[in-house]
Amino acid sequence: IRHRFTDAFSIQGGIEGEIGQSIDPLGRFNYSMIGVPLSVIYDSTDRPLDPTRGVKVTASIAPYAGFGGAPSFFGIGRLQASTYYALDERARYVLAARIGLGSIVGGELAEIPAARRFYAGGGGSVRGFEYKSLGPRTPDGFVTGGRSLLEGSLEARIKVTETIGVVPFLDFGQAYASSFPDGSERLRFGAGLGFRYYTSIGPIRVDIATPLDRKRGERPYAIYVSIGQSF
């Protein structure tokens, strides 16, 4: 159920149930869980797919009762905030920034279903890295996911013409085994250049990114194609 107080501010809540099997390098177990996800949203941006002004903040918390292999009680919280600032009246030059935080409290890492853990990397996270490739690893090098997350992005959105734009960007992020980002894993950075073709419904996005301080085995670049800005 969702209630909108104003055009910019709303809250929502619901009931969620899940039965599944978690299989990953930390183990295999069957679980079931029931929870009450709650969220608060503030969105003063001017355009859904191509914001040029305003702020958007989404804060959510979901307490769960677990059964089987899952913890008897755990909670997942997440905060996502972004802001947009147009340097000129026609919004041909826009600065955009995003920060994201996540935390899971209750239970050990191996008890949290793998699909509910936090991962970083990929088009909606740290561009240049493979999807869900950043986070705690086993001694064999397999990514396990974590109980906390820190990530963010900076972009300069520049319109060259009315339909063509370029976007230099810098992303950073990492997932951690602890319930709060503690620096136990090195923060990773990705940078690149995006191209935009602006249509009446929103921009078509093509981003080319590369990991900074790339490690052995990581791909030298990645390409992302989508509709709408990255955040």
Side-chain angles (χ1 to χ4, degrees):
I1 185 170
R2 182 178 185 182
H3 180 72
R4 184 180 293 276
F5 292 92
T6 67
D7 289 342
F9 179 64
S10 64
I11 63 172
Q12 65 182 39
I15 299 176
E16 178 183 7
E18 181 174 308
I19 298 174
Q21 184 178 71
S22 180
I23 304 173
D24 81 321
L26 294 182
R28 176 197 300 253
F29 61 89
N30 296 315
Y31 69 90
S32 56
M33 48 193 274
I34 185 169
V36 183
L38 306 168
S39 62
V40 177
I41 302 170
Y42 177 80
D43 185 357
S44 64
T45 57
D46 53 350
R47 305 171 189 170
L49 294 178
D50 185 23
T52 62
R53 296 176 174 86
V55 174
K56 183 175 182 179
V57 180
T58 301
S60 64
I61 184 169
Y64 292 98
F67 308 91
S72 57
F73 176 83
F74 64 103
I76 302 177
R78 186 151 193 169
L79 174 67
Q80 178 97 348
S82 55
T83 183
Y84 312 88
Y85 181 74
L87 298 178
D88 63 310
E89 186 65 27
R90 298 176 60 189
R92 296 180 64 89
Y93 304 92
V94 178
L95 300 179
R98 174 185 72 92
I99 188 74
L101 295 167
S103 176
I104 301 175
V105 295
E108 301 297 325
L109 178 61
E111 298 175 322
I112 306 298
R116 296 288 178 160
R117 300 175 199 154
F118 291 111
Y119 304 82
S125 179
V126 187
R127 285 165 286 186
F129 295 90
E130 292 187 44
Y131 180 58
K132 290 186 174 182
S133 65
L134 299 180
R137 294 176 179 266
T138 66
D140 297 330
F142 293 99
V143 180
T144 64
R147 292 193 297 162
S148 61
L149 175 73
L150 170 64
E151 61 182 16
S153 301
L154 298 171
E155 292 191 349
R157 301 172 180 174
I158 304 167
K159 271 192 173 182
V160 179
T161 69
E162 290 301 317
T163 56
I164 302 295
V166 295
V167 181
F169 59 84
L170 174 70
D171 297 339
F172 63 88
Q174 186 60 274
Y176 303 87
S178 61
S179 291
F180 300 95
D182 59 1
S184 57
E185 303 286 339
R186 184 159 59 91
L187 201 63
R188 303 300 304 276
F189 293 82
L193 184 65
F195 301 92
R196 305 290 185 267
Y197 179 74
Y198 293 91
T199 71
S200 58
I201 61 172
I204 297 174
R205 174 169 65 97
V206 179
D207 290 337
I208 304 173
T210 184
L212 302 182
D213 192 20
R214 182 166 60 95
K215 296 182 179 179
R216 178 179 297 179
E218 292 178 339
R219 294 181 179 178
Y221 68 92
I223 300 175
Y224 308 92
V225 181
S226 184
I227 296 177
Q229 298 287 6
S230 58
F231 61 90

